[in-house]
Amino acid sequence: MPDSLPPVAAEPVNIEPPLSALDALLTPAETLFVRNNGTVPENLPGWTLSVTGLVARELALTPEALRARFPTVEIVSVLECAGNNRSAITPAVDGQPWGPGAVGCARWTGVRLADVLEAAGVSPRAVYVGFRSPDHVIGKPGVEALSRGLPLAKALSPETLIAFGMNGAPLTALHGAPLRIVAPGFPGSAWQKWLREIVVLDREHDGAKMTGLDYRMPRRPLRPGEDPAGTEFDVITDMPVKSLITAPLEGFSALGPVAIRGFAWSGHVPLAKVEVSANGGATWHHARLEVGASPWAWRRFTAELALPPGPVTLMARATDMAGKSQPMDPPWNPRGYLNNAVQRVVGVVAG
């Protein structure tokens, strides 16, 4: 992999694929959603990743040295934006108006972040790691666009990677080349792209979009329009259980039994089951649930319903091992995060 990145437009890029493109077990790079808060770094020669802060030995590693020094591992994991399906939240909130397609599942290749931190010698006083990248706010060079982090326990978990590959190919610039964080179970914002610096800290990281209400959820249910103090919010550290119907699609017309398929996933609490309904949730039917490629991958579900002729609304509902199920309606919060409400697909069964 070259040390420099190909030139790309210095403007935010947010791309959501149609749901018809999300029906594969592994989401291709050209299909996976793209969310950038600022510029996409371009033509940055001599890329070096530094590890600083509360460590016994500061490190400076090129991508080539990283691969040579540490074991290469792979993991299949869902990547989902915390604001996925924000557009379905009412009343509307600020933020990228995603539909349900800001999610995907890929095979990530890299080295364990834990191995790199072990080589640096993390201090017993450490509790958090912060990430920094050279992307900046549009029109404001030097002003960080995004600088997220992870609690130390997640940074040291074996599934957390410094990745340089996706689906057997090098990362593309839009997906964070040459290095990015992979933090399964955490929101996409924690998967820092274009990683240049890891800082080990004795407190929660306070980088760009780590403070205020960014990527935070309230500790209690809020009324629509309520905007309490930021002290009543916590950083999002886990994604909720969710499902996505990938077939049939909105506006379908079916003859005979309706075949339903899609994917379901969860954060750190494993997925337990998926159910489907065609009568507004009055009755639910168990879907067949396939084994996932890893504990962090989404899992295919399928079902077949014999339905009378006429209009129909299909729904899917996933439940995790802790008994938490998708709600029927989106929970409201000021930034529209973590909408895991039951999906509805409207169509017609022909007579």
Side-chain angles (χ1 to χ4, degrees), residues 15-315:
I15 302 171
E16 179 182 359
L19 291 188
S20 58
L22 291 179
D23 197 38
L25 287 171
L26 292 180
T27 309
E30 59 271 20
T31 299
L32 184 67
F33 78 97
V34 174
R35 169 68 172 129
N36 295 329
N37 284 267
T39 60
V40 177
E42 55 179 313
N43 293 329
L44 295 171
W47 195 283
T48 301
L49 171 65
S50 65
V51 182
T52 62
L54 296 177
V55 294
R57 296 166 295 278
E58 292 191 351
L59 303 178
L61 300 161
T62 64
E64 293 73 21
L66 193 76
R67 295 196 296 272
R69 181 169 176 178
F70 302 100
T72 295
V73 295
E74 289 190 331
I75 189 167
V76 178
S77 177
V78 168
L79 168 61
E80 182 180 12
C81 181
N84 191 20
N85 212 15
R86 178 183 281 120
S87 62
I89 291 180
T90 55
V93 297
D94 292 336
Q96 177 68 20
W98 294 118
V103 64
C105 185
R107 184 181 302 277
W108 307 95
T109 304
V111 302
R112 291 187 180 91
L113 176 55
D115 290 345
V116 175
L117 293 176
E118 181 182 4
V122 173
S123 166
R125 295 189 291 119
V127 299
Y128 223 87
V129 296
F131 306 127
R132 289 202 163 90
S133 304
D135 56 322
H136 61 79
V137 175
I138 299 298
K140 296 182 179 180
V143 179
E144 288 182 318
L146 184 76
S147 178
R148 300 288 296 173
L150 294 173
L152 185 62
K154 181 63 176 179
L156 295 177
S157 293
E159 72 275 3
T160 304
L161 307 182
I162 302 172
F164 44 77
M166 174 186 173
N167 293 341
L171 287 174
T172 64
L174 285 178
H175 292 300
L179 300 173
R180 75 173 299 167
I181 292 293
V182 167
F186 274 47
S189 57
W191 295 42
Q192 187 92 16
K193 298 179 182 179
W194 315 296
L195 185 66
R196 288 290 294 266
E197 185 178 359
I198 299 170
V199 186
V200 181
L201 303 162
D202 60 359
R203 63 193 183 281
E204 187 174 276
H205 183 46
D206 60 357
K209 299 213 168 183
M210 276 292 295
T211 58
L213 301 187
D214 290 317
Y215 301 108
R216 291 175 181 259
M217 283 290 285
R219 298 189 187 115
R220 59 178 176 84
L222 299 181
R223 299 183 304 274
E226 186 178 359
D227 193 5
T231 54
E232 297 184 47
F233 290 72
D234 292 317
V235 173
I236 299 169
T237 57
D238 202 11
M239 297 297 285
V241 66
K242 198 166 183 178
S243 62
L244 178 69
I245 296 173
T246 56
L249 298 174
E250 185 76 10
F252 72 89
S253 180
L255 287 172
V258 179
I260 306 168
R261 70 175 181 268
F263 293 108
W265 63 95
S266 188
H268 288 72
V269 180
L271 183 67
K273 64 180 180 179
V274 176
E275 301 162 290
V276 296
S277 176
N279 59 6
T283 57
W284 293 92
H285 306 271
H286 282 278
R288 294 177 293 276
L289 191 57
E290 297 179 6
V291 176
S294 87
W296 306 101
W298 58 20
R299 297 172 63 182
R300 171 81 73 182
F301 67 85
T302 57
E304 190 173 271
L305 298 179
L307 302 173
V312 63
T313 299
L314 303 176
M315 296 189 292

Side-chain angles (χ1 to χ4, degrees), residues 285-350:
H285 306 271
H286 282 278
R288 294 177 293 276
L289 191 57
E290 297 179 6
V291 176
S294 87
W296 306 101
W298 58 20
R299 297 172 63 182
R300 171 81 73 182
F301 67 85
T302 57
E304 190 173 271
L305 298 179
L307 302 173
V312 63
T313 299
L314 303 176
M315 296 189 292
R317 180 178 70 181
T319 301
D320 67 23
M321 289 291 189
K324 291 184 178 180
S325 298
Q326 293 180 255
M328 293 297 287
D329 298 301
W332 189 91
N333 61 86
R335 295 296 176 88
Y337 294 133
L338 304 191
N339 177 10
N340 70 327
V342 165
Q343 180 190 8
R344 294 167 171 83
V345 177
V346 178
V348 174
V349 176

